[in-house]
Amino acid sequence: MSVDTYSETPKIKHLLEKESSLFQLSTTQLYYKILNNNEGELTELGAVNASTGKYTGRSPKDKFIVTEPSYKDNIAWGDINQPIDEETFLKLYNKVLTYLDQKDELYVFNGYAGSDKDTQLKLTVINELAWHNLFAQNMFIRPESKEEAQNIKANFTIVSAPYFKADPEVDGTKSETFVIISFKHKVILIGGTEYAGEMKKGIFSVMNYLLPMQDIMSMHCSANVGNKGDVALFFGLSGTGKTTLSASPDRKLIGDDEHGWNKNGIFNIEGGCYAKAINLSKEKEPQIYDAIQYGTILENTVVDERGRVDFDDNTHTENTRAAYPIHHIDNIVLPSKAAHPNTIIFLTADAFGVLPPISKLTKAQAMYHFLSGFTSKLAGTERGVTEPEPSFSTCFGAPFLPLNPIKYADLLGELIDEHDVDVYLVNTGWTGGKYGVGRRISLHYTRHMVDQAISGKLKDAEFTKDEKFGLNIPAEMEDVPKTILNPINAWSDSDKYREQADDLIKRFEENFKKFGSEVEDIAQTGGFNK
């Protein structure tokens, strides 16, 4: 990969060579530090539970990309990719390094992003907190030995100082929190937040710049492979079932969140999984539940005095998480890569209850839904949300896309054509009415539908076109009630269904206007019936 190292600048080199910089500690060594430093608590499952303080999720308004002439014109600047000038960045960067230099201990991990060695990114992660360092070890790809780690010359360095608070008036940030990417200096600078997911998503943003610039597709998706080598991708925003549906006992997991697609096939960008833990149970999600063991980091779960975890308790946040290395899942592919996909599943949690539980998409429809990236925000999950609200996240990952979304869509379209991939839209949300009136589509039925799509059983099935969205719906499916396949049949009042469907269509169309005339053909051929 054409990325020069920046890790051995004098100040970084100084931090790495300090006796107090603890390099490539084992899980047990980090456990000792976490517990001794009161950074977390041990649970009866063997996992450590840590609190992320007041930030229980990402801080998208505090994320910046450093402007620099060599790549300035490549970035899609705006609310997501906010600019910060190089001089301001370097001043803050040096302040953070000086702050870390004064710490009694720092934690350093060397590893990789990307299981395909041709496009692998070499990483150094410098952490103020021991549990953040264990998180990095869980989420990124681990070297096989400490000797291998010592020989890594990093292409990118993460500097994470959660207790360092920025002064917006002095440091050019919007708050005390900052996540700043410099492609010139090959650094991700993080401060003012204890939410460890900023490291993971920071590197994903970097890969979403570097890979497409080499005409390699980068994707916010999970992936698995069957016994016959058939590969499936699952795109979807948080809460749509991406991790749950890809963790199947009958298929081997490639990865649960971030992948690349090059001439060789699919490869995982990560070395671990970052699963939502709210309402987790062994009965519903046995693979994920069993992965929570010694070495796992839990975030913001509620733990009693005996170390028992209450996964149903959302006292701290709905966004409770479990971060574990991928080998905690028994049914995996190692190394985490496979052939070109046969099937792509777009997951959406439609809280309006009008999209079909499953529909087969044409290529134009696939491009339309990929660019739309639709799901729903639910009442009560965010302040001020009292009714279901549509949420559109371009390419199912807008917060992590530095380039123009059309670049990602064009790459996907070319790959769908080249490898003759079947694409399905799966609604894991509501049926028979909107949220609060209808009911959530059974996970049991969703699994059956996804299994039949992936197995190829739907290739020659009979399809009917629904009257509102122009989507191709299977006329019948094994072990799935016919009454739910076409959503209008699940509503007691068909006129109310049509009214709700028209409302959602208008929202789709309004959102799609932001792409302009550049995608007018996709809007015409892949959009909904008028």
Side-chain angles (χ1 to χ4, degrees):
M1 182 172 290
S2 57
V3 182
D4 297 325
T5 182
Y6 185 70
S7 293
E8 294 185 356
T9 58
K11 284 198 173 185
I12 287 287
K13 187 176 182 182
H14 169 70
L15 286 182
L16 297 177
E17 291 179 347
K18 288 179 63 173
E19 286 188 19
S20 58
S21 290
L22 305 175
F23 178 74
Q24 218 75 9
L25 295 187
S26 68
T27 297
T28 299
Q29 288 172 315
L30 286 169
Y31 258 50
Y32 174 80
K33 292 294 183 182
I34 292 165
L35 298 174
N36 196 49
N37 297 343
N38 294 316
E39 293 181 16
E41 57 191 333
L42 190 62
T43 72
E44 66 174 5
L45 297 172
V48 168
N49 182 57
S51 168
T52 65
K54 68 178 181 179
Y55 296 100
T56 58
R58 292 180 299 101
S59 299
K61 293 181 180 178
D62 296 305
K63 180 182 172 185
F64 302 88
I65 295 177
V66 181
T67 56
E68 206 281 325
S70 65
Y71 60 78
K72 180 180 171 183
D73 293 339
N74 296 331
I75 305 296
W77 300 107
D79 293 338
I80 290 173
N81 300 311
Q82 301 177 104
I84 190 169
D85 66 84
E86 186 177 14
E87 182 181 359
T88 301
F89 161 72
L90 288 175
K91 285 179 181 178
L92 181 56
Y93 179 53
N94 286 318
K95 282 174 71 172
V96 172
L97 295 185
T98 299
Y99 165 83
L100 291 176
D101 193 20
Q102 297 167 357
K103 291 291 171 181
D104 291 337
E105 289 182 337
L106 293 176
Y107 306 91
V108 180
F109 166 73
N110 278 2
Y112 310 97
S115 56
D116 185 273
K117 291 189 182 297
D118 291 342
T119 53
Q120 198 169 63
L121 196 68
K122 298 174 183 176
L123 304 175
T124 289
V125 185
I126 302 172
N127 295 115
E128 181 179 8
L129 296 176
W131 83 263
H132 275 202
N133 197 251
L134 181 56
F135 178 93
Q137 290 201 26
N138 285 352
M139 295 313 305
F140 300 123
I141 296 172
R142 296 155 293 281
E144 293 185 6
S145 66
K146 191 167 183 178
E147 181 182 10
E148 180 185 343
Q150 287 169 333
N151 290 325
I152 289 175
K153 301 296 182 184
N155 306 127
F156 243 87
T157 300
I158 298 174
V159 178
S160 174
Y163 293 157
F164 179 96
K165 311 295 185 186
D167 181 344
E169 292 186 10
V170 175
D171 298 317
T173 58
K174 290 189 172 180
S175 74
E176 64 184 10
T177 300
F178 53 91
V179 179
I180 306 176
I181 299 173
S182 171
F183 289 106
K184 175 182 177 182
H185 298 293
K186 316 298 186 291
V187 167
I188 301 174
L189 184 67
I190 304 171
T193 174
E194 297 171 60
Y195 184 68
E198 296 287 13
M199 293 184 286
K200 159 192 163 67
K201 290 305 185 185
I203 287 298
F204 187 40
S205 297
V206 168
M207 294 296 271
N208 279 330
Y209 176 83
L210 297 174
L211 293 178
M213 294 299 283
Q214 303 169 74
D215 289 330
I216 297 169
M217 184 64 183
S218 58
M219 304 171 291
H220 187 212
C221 70
S222 57
N224 63 25
V225 58
N227 294 329
K228 297 178 181 178
D230 52 306
V231 176
L233 305 183
F234 299 79
F235 289 83
L237 302 172
S238 180
T240 57
K242 183 160 48 72
T243 300
T244 300
L245 290 168
S246 61
S248 167
D250 302 322
R251 298 175 65 81
K252 292 185 181 296
L253 183 71
I254 303 167
D256 84 323
D257 198 45
E258 303 171 5
H259 290 83
W261 185 355
N262 64 10
K263 62 182 180 181
N264 303 318
I266 297 298
F267 61 90
N268 193 355
I269 289 173
E270 301 182 293
C273 302
Y274 194 34
K276 290 199 79 167
I278 195 70
N279 303 132
L280 180 67
S281 70
K282 189 174 178 66
E283 294 70 33
K284 290 183 179 179
E285 299 172 274
Q287 285 192 305
I288 296 171
Y289 188 92
D290 289 342
I292 299 174
Q293 54 185 265
Y294 181 76
T296 296
I297 289 284
L298 293 172
E299 288 181 352
N300 300 313
T301 59
V302 174
V303 180
D304 69 16
E305 67 277 359
R306 298 179 62 183
R308 293 177 297 194
V309 183
D310 185 350
F311 288 109
D312 296 327
D313 195 328
N314 64 355
T315 296
H316 304 308
T317 179
E318 285 279 334
N319 191 35
T320 56
R321 293 276 178 171
Y324 47 86
I326 197 166
H327 61 255
H328 280 197
I329 300 279
D330 291 331
N331 214 17
I332 60 171
V333 177
L334 285 178
S336 301
K337 52 185 182 178
H340 300 285
N342 308 82
T343 310
I344 291 175
I345 306 288
F346 291 158
L347 298 168
T348 179
D350 171 28
F352 300 91
V354 291
L355 286 175
I358 187 168
S359 51
K360 188 174 184 181
L361 304 181
T362 64
K363 179 193 167 185
Q365 288 173 329
M367 299 281 280
Y368 184 86
H369 283 276
F370 183 63
L371 283 169
S372 296
F374 165 71
T375 193
S376 304
K377 291 180 183 177
L378 300 181
T381 58
E382 287 187 18
R383 188 185 308 170
V385 179
T386 57
E387 290 286 328
E389 290 183 4
S391 177
F392 296 96
S393 186
T394 305
C395 307
F396 297 98
F400 323 116
L401 305 181
L403 304 175
N404 187 319
I406 308 303
K407 175 68 174 177
Y408 306 97
D410 284 346
L411 281 171
L412 182 65
E414 291 166 9
L415 288 163
I416 288 172
D417 272 345
E418 184 178 350
H419 300 286
D420 192 25
V421 185
D422 291 328
V423 185
Y424 294 88
L425 178 68
V426 172
N427 174 20
T428 61
W430 275 254
T431 185
K434 67 179 182 179
Y435 173 77
V437 177
R439 64 191 182 280
R440 191 86 190 248
I441 296 169
S442 164
L443 178 59
H444 173 77
Y445 293 143
T446 300
R447 284 194 186 280
H448 276 301
M449 289 184 274
V450 168
D451 289 347
Q452 290 180 58
I454 291 172
S455 68
K457 287 184 179 179
L458 294 185
K459 271 187 176 292
D460 300 319
E462 179 186 349
F463 288 86
T464 60
K465 189 167 287 192
D466 89 285
E467 66 173 70
K468 281 296 177 185
F469 299 99
L471 296 170
N472 293 307
I473 304 169
E476 59 181 7
M477 293 185 73
E478 184 180 333
D479 298 321
V480 179
K482 290 181 71 173
T483 51
I484 72 167
L485 289 175
N486 193 331
I488 194 170
N489 296 332
W491 282 59
S492 59
D493 187 328
S494 57
D495 289 335
K496 283 188 176 179
Y497 164 81
R498 293 184 180 95
E499 181 181 336
Q500 189 69 76
D502 285 338
D503 177 69
L504 184 57
I505 287 170
K506 286 177 185 176
R507 294 173 189 253
F508 263 92
E509 291 172 345
E510 189 62 33
N511 171 72
F512 214 76
K513 289 177 182 177
K514 67 188 177 189
F515 300 114
S517 58
E518 199 172 352
V519 293
E520 193 172 325
D521 58 329
I522 296 175
Q524 291 297 322
T525 58
F528 303 127
N529 289 347
K530 302 300 180 187

